[in-house]
Structure formats: C-alpha cells, structure tokens
Amino acid sequence: MRARSHPEVASTPEAYALLGLTGPVDNEALTAAFRIAIKAARPEATGGSEARFRKTIAAWRLIQRQSAPLALAAPATPPPATPVLAISPLDALKGGAVEIRLGGRLLRVRVPAGLRTSEHLRLKAAGDDGADLYLPVLVRGAHGLNAVGDDLYMTCPVSPRLLEDGGRLEVDTHAGVRSAWLVAGHQPLRLRLKGLGLPARGTRPQGHLFVTLEPSEDAPSAAEDLLVRFTRAWTPERLAA
C-alpha cells in the first residue's frame, strides 16, 4: 500500500501563525512577514531548523494560493490602492505621529501604542467621498528591532570570553539596560526578556523581547562591562559626597 503524504501545513490558521500573522493581509504585509519568519527559520539561525524552514515556505505558498484573485475581467478604471501605514517598532511600542501621503494630500496620522502588523487604523472621514478610511498597518524593522506578532527581536554582541566563562550581561534595550546572568559552559543563543514586547491592546497580550546573543570580539569583556557599570553608578558628584 502506498503511504499517504501529509501536508507540511495542515490549515490556513496554522499558516498565518507560522508567519506571525492573525489573519489576511495585503501582499506587501504578507511578504514582509514572510521575510522575517523565513530568516528566523533558517537552519543556521537560533531556533531554526530544516523542518521549520520547509513549513514556513509551505505556509507562505498556502496563503498565496488561497488569497489568489479569481480570474475576472479587470475594471475599466481600477480603484486606487489603499496606502500601507508603515510604522517602526518604536512607534508600535509608544505610539506617536506618522506622515502618510494619500493621493495629493499629506496627512499626519496619530498612531496609538500597540498596533500590530495586519491590523487596520481607521481615519475618520478621510476618504475622497467623506467615508472612513481603513489603512493596513505594517510594522517595519528599524532601530535594531523587528516585530513579529506581539514580540520584538534584537541582537546583542557578546564577548566570546563572557559566553565561555559566564557572568553578568547587560543588554541595552528600548526600555533601558536590563541584566542577565550567563552560566559557564551553557551558552544560550537567545534570551527572553518578559514584558518588553509590544504592549497589550484589545485582545492581544503583552509581548516579550527576544535577544539573540551574537559572539563578537569587539564586544566589551566582563571586566570592561564592570567598569562601565561602576562609572555609571559612581558619578563625580557621588564620589565627592
């Protein structure tokens, strides 16, 4: 009897989850999410593997097949494409104002904290006919941060000696310096800093910050790191007191 082959990805919801999405998005947002997911899934990447790499590609192809438009006659005048609201991870973290060109208008849009890729931001009465306009959101990597779903990702250069001998590591994050303790002989290539991802919004939970440790000869040693922390705490004013 011939063995029945099983698909790499069993369902569309699983495919969206593998790409860090919660539902249908436009082609630009889908491509951006796929590029981030496939980079993290590569076998040589931390947490990646051949199986995850294949499943990520299968998820992307499944979504593409199911979102392919039906073969219909093109309208005489195609409707203008809705612009994508591209924001940085820091905008998604703290909110702010973003400029976007809409037709011949340049709009300054107020962005609330906690927006995720694939969500939509409503602009009241911003359409040409006075109707509300819903802009798809894309959180693009910037300032050393990438956003996937609720979580943020960054890299941190670490001295190979510190990885080998263990010791205290200070990570300069968007929320300030955070400390982690590395154990000698045990080299985690990724740390999770709880609660430092995108803020909770609606039904979406508070995310985390994942820090990939990147061995680098240019990174400060444990002694240099201790000196930096000493000079940070013992200012001239404090020493003179």
Side-chain angles (χ1 to χ4, degrees):
M1 180 180 293
R2 192 174 180 181
R4 179 180 297 178
S5 61
H6 295 280
E8 294 280 353
V9 180
S11 64
T12 304
E14 182 186 0
Y16 283 123
L18 283 166
L19 299 188
L21 300 172
T22 58
V25 294
D26 59 25
N27 286 334
E28 184 175 358
L30 175 62
T31 301
F34 171 72
R35 286 175 177 171
I36 295 173
I38 198 66
K39 184 178 179 181
R42 294 170 60 182
E44 64 271 19
T46 303
S49 64
E50 291 184 3
R52 182 180 171 189
F53 189 84
R54 291 196 306 271
K55 290 189 70 170
T56 302
I57 295 176
W60 181 54
R61 289 174 176 170
L62 176 61
I63 294 173
Q64 280 193 319
R65 287 197 304 270
Q66 297 195 355
S67 61
L70 298 176
L72 300 176
T77 305
T82 303
V84 174
L85 180 62
I87 62 177
S88 72
L90 292 182
D91 292 327
L93 274 166
K94 303 176 182 179
V98 177
E99 290 186 346
I100 185 171
R101 185 164 296 280
L102 187 63
R105 298 174 293 166
L106 183 63
L107 302 181
R108 189 171 178 82
V109 178
R110 177 65 59 181
V111 176
L115 281 180
R116 271 80 163 163
T117 293
S118 80
E119 293 184 339
H120 289 75
L121 182 66
R122 183 179 72 141
L123 301 185
K124 192 174 181 181
D128 292 335
D129 56 355
D132 292 348
L133 189 63
Y134 293 84
L135 298 181
V137 176
L138 174 64
V139 184
R140 283 181 173 157
H143 309 105
L145 289 173
N146 284 300
V148 179
D150 305 318
D151 302 319
L152 295 176
Y153 292 81
M154 63 171 286
T155 60
C156 175
V158 182
S159 165
R161 183 67 178 271
L162 181 59
L163 285 174
E164 180 180 349
D165 296 343
R168 182 173 175 175
L169 170 68
E170 289 199 338
V171 184
D172 191 8
T173 75
H174 62 84
V177 176
R178 294 294 186 271
S179 297
W181 189 264
L182 303 182
V183 179
H186 178 68
Q187 299 184 8
L189 296 181
R190 177 173 289 174
L191 303 175
R192 185 184 72 159
L193 302 182
K194 295 180 64 175
L196 293 188
L198 297 183
R201 172 180 165 85
T203 60
R204 301 299 294 267
Q206 173 78 44
H208 309 299
L209 173 63
F210 290 88
V211 183
T212 299
L213 304 183
E214 196 171 69
S216 172
E217 296 293 345
D218 296 329
S221 65
E224 291 170 328
D225 183 64
L226 184 62
L227 178 61
V228 169
R229 288 191 280 117
F230 175 83
T231 55
R232 185 186 299 141
W234 291 92
T235 61
E237 294 79 9
R238 189 169 179 180
L239 290 171

